[in-house]
Amino acid sequence: MDQPAAVITTAPTSPTVILTGDRPTGPLHLGHYVGSLRGRVQYQHDYKQFVMLADSQALTDNMDDIDKVHRNVVEVALDYLAVGIDPAKTTIFIQSQIPELAELTFYYLNLVTVARLERNPTVKQEIVLRGFERDIPAGFLTYPASQAADITAFKAQVVPVGEDQIPMIEQTNEIVRRFNRTYNQEILVECKALVPEIGRLPGTDGKAKMSKSLGNTINLGASSDEIRAAVKKVYTDPLHLRVEDPGHLEGNVAFIYLDAFDNDKASLEEMKAHYQRGGLGDSIVKKRLDAVLQELLAPIRARREELAKDKGYVMQVLKEGTMRAREVAARTTDEVKAALGLNYF
Ligand code: TRP
């Protein structure tokens, strides 16, 4: 696979550990690309990066659909590799294959209260979204402790996440402080959330979030026809009825996407001014957006298709990454167990 030039010129400058992960419940899309994948491709040059396929966490609300989770582990891994996450620089691993993560979770559960878990804003919101109000699976309610295990097992200092995950980072740091204070050791490391500057990408329909469940995504593996069809339906300015009318940019998804993906900023600014003055039809804007997205996604799709033919290679990457990650997690778990007096032999 071609390497970006930066690999050659950028020396590792810091041993900072960075860890992030995704629940493998569906293929990744442009929202993930802007919100996290693009960053990971950069971070891997300067940090010691771990990227986790959070299949165990995905099961906390998918025990009735285990096939979906199993299938998407490979799909998401293909997305990672296709966008340029390099397994020689980034340790990509599967959560469920590291039993130490479950072990740490079991101990951390005694350092959080049910009331605190119930107050976690992200968990609270997800409980409503999933209709769990009357019957919350215990594993779901307690997944913040598992996420704390994911992060602390690797002594991650930086965790790039969307804004919705900030409560997870706060709860992780509470566990870290409580552990270190109670057992009088500095074993666990506090972490910082790294929230991307360009916030969330809206869906093609104009809704605030691009999300599989809303059906408003453009997937990284989308075909050329799928991209064209999605662009055709992209939400623009509902008041821009005739070409000569002045158009608005606020909430105009075509321009929001162009801002995110079109590198020719000067001519984009010209186009925006023309649109606002009036006299520029949506079809011209969409034609440009289609061209930009086709150019962005064509090489990703090609690499994805190539890799998909060699599942053996993908599984090998995951296996090696998981083995490397497990060694790190096992070292931390040994330290944690020793601090808890669970070291008998
Ligand atoms: N909860 C994250 C999500 O919904 C996934 C995740 C699991 C994660 N463990 C993590 C993210 C550890 C960062 C660090 O996408």
Side-chain angles (χ1 to χ4, degrees):
M1 230 182 333
D2 287 343
Q3 297 290 349
V7 175
I8 299 146
T9 53
T10 313
T13 52
S14 150
T16 303
V17 177
I18 188 163
L19 176 135
T20 180
D22 298 291
R23 297 182 192 180
T25 54
L28 303 185
H29 50 64
L30 285 180
H32 295 111
Y33 185 75
V34 169
S36 63
L37 298 172
R38 222 161 40 172
R40 294 176 195 177
V41 172
Q42 291 308 312
Y43 303 143
Q44 65 186 347
H45 303 303
D46 302 324
Y47 297 99
K48 189 169 168 44
Q49 178 165 259
F50 294 89
V51 173
M52 182 180 69
L53 290 151
D55 60 342
S56 304
Q57 188 180 110
L59 285 182
T60 62
D61 61 340
N62 282 290
M63 283 301 264
D64 56 351
D65 203 354
I66 57 171
D67 284 346
K68 177 173 80 181
V69 175
H70 182 89
R71 231 181 321 115
N72 279 300
V73 164
V74 177
E75 293 302 315
V76 173
L78 285 171
D79 288 330
Y80 288 167
L81 298 172
V83 298
I85 295 179
D86 175 358
K89 299 204 172 320
T90 297
T91 301
I92 306 173
F93 69 96
I94 305 179
Q95 183 185 31
S96 64
Q97 303 307 296
I98 303 192
E100 287 79 5
L101 297 178
E103 212 178 338
L104 287 176
T105 304
F106 196 58
Y107 303 128
Y108 293 172
L109 281 171
N110 303 315
L111 299 173
V112 292
T113 64
V114 172
R116 175 65 181 90
L117 289 162
E118 283 172 341
R119 272 200 314 272
N120 181 308
T122 306
V123 175
K124 229 163 136 174
Q125 203 182 4
E126 288 175 335
I127 284 170
V128 177
L129 282 174
R130 285 158 181 70
F132 279 161
E133 288 99 328
R134 275 145 46 83
D135 256 320
I136 310 171
F140 186 81
L141 179 66
T142 55
Y143 90 74
S146 144
Q147 193 151 332
D150 303 335
I151 295 168
T152 57
F154 300 91
K155 305 198 175 185
Q157 294 139 293
V158 178
V159 183
V161 283
E163 221 164 345
D164 62 307
Q165 292 289 306
I166 289 174
M168 298 296 159
I169 306 301
E170 287 170 353
Q171 197 151 15
T172 295
N173 285 335
E174 284 173 30
I175 291 173
V176 167
R177 286 192 292 267
R178 180 138 186 227
F179 183 94
N180 287 344
R181 186 170 10 93
T182 309
Y183 307 105
N184 215 2
Q185 315 240 5
E186 288 298 315
I187 292 172
L188 301 182
V189 174
E190 285 194 56
C191 64
K192 280 198 184 68
L194 182 62
V195 180
E197 254 172 68
I198 314 174
R200 160 168 291 169
L201 201 67
T204 53
D205 56 0
K207 294 223 173 78
K209 188 178 176 184
M210 183 178 275
S211 140
K212 177 174 38 85
S213 54
L214 297 172
N216 61 9
T217 67
I218 297 177
N219 292 340
L220 295 176
S223 69
S224 173
D225 286 348
E226 285 167 338
I227 297 167
R228 198 168 313 117
V231 168
K232 212 172 263 169
K233 285 195 295 186
V234 153
Y235 181 86
T236 57
D237 172 9
L239 302 174
H240 188 233
L241 296 173
R242 287 167 308 177
V243 172
E244 31 326 343
D245 292 339
H248 299 85
L249 302 178
E250 305 79 46
N252 188 320
V253 175
F255 281 105
I256 294 171
Y257 289 1
L258 282 168
D259 272 332
F261 301 112
D262 191 334
N263 295 322
D264 188 353
K265 298 296 175 210
S267 104
L268 178 57
E269 288 311 312
E270 260 172 51
M271 182 177 244
K272 284 185 192 169
H274 191 177
Y275 190 79
Q276 287 174 295
R277 269 196 318 273
L280 182 65
D282 277 5
S283 64
I284 310 275
V285 181
K286 289 189 172 184
K287 205 166 153 191
R288 177 171 177 141
L289 177 61
D290 182 62
V292 165
L293 292 183
Q294 298 288 357
E295 194 183 320
L296 172 76
L297 293 177
I300 295 175
R301 178 173 60 242
R303 248 179 288 169
R304 206 180 184 290
E305 282 169 3
E306 207 48 47
L307 288 158
K309 287 188 213 146
D310 195 354
K311 288 266 162 64
Y313 167 75
V314 178
M315 293 319 293
Q316 192 57 30
V317 163
L318 295 179
K319 191 174 174 187
E320 280 169 19
T322 301
M323 277 163 50
R324 252 185 292 154
R326 189 172 178 190
E327 280 173 29
V328 179
R331 271 201 299 278
T332 306
T333 305
D334 281 347
E335 292 178 80
V336 164
K337 288 174 78 174
L340 296 175
L342 304 172
N343 51 343
Y344 302 104
F345 311 113

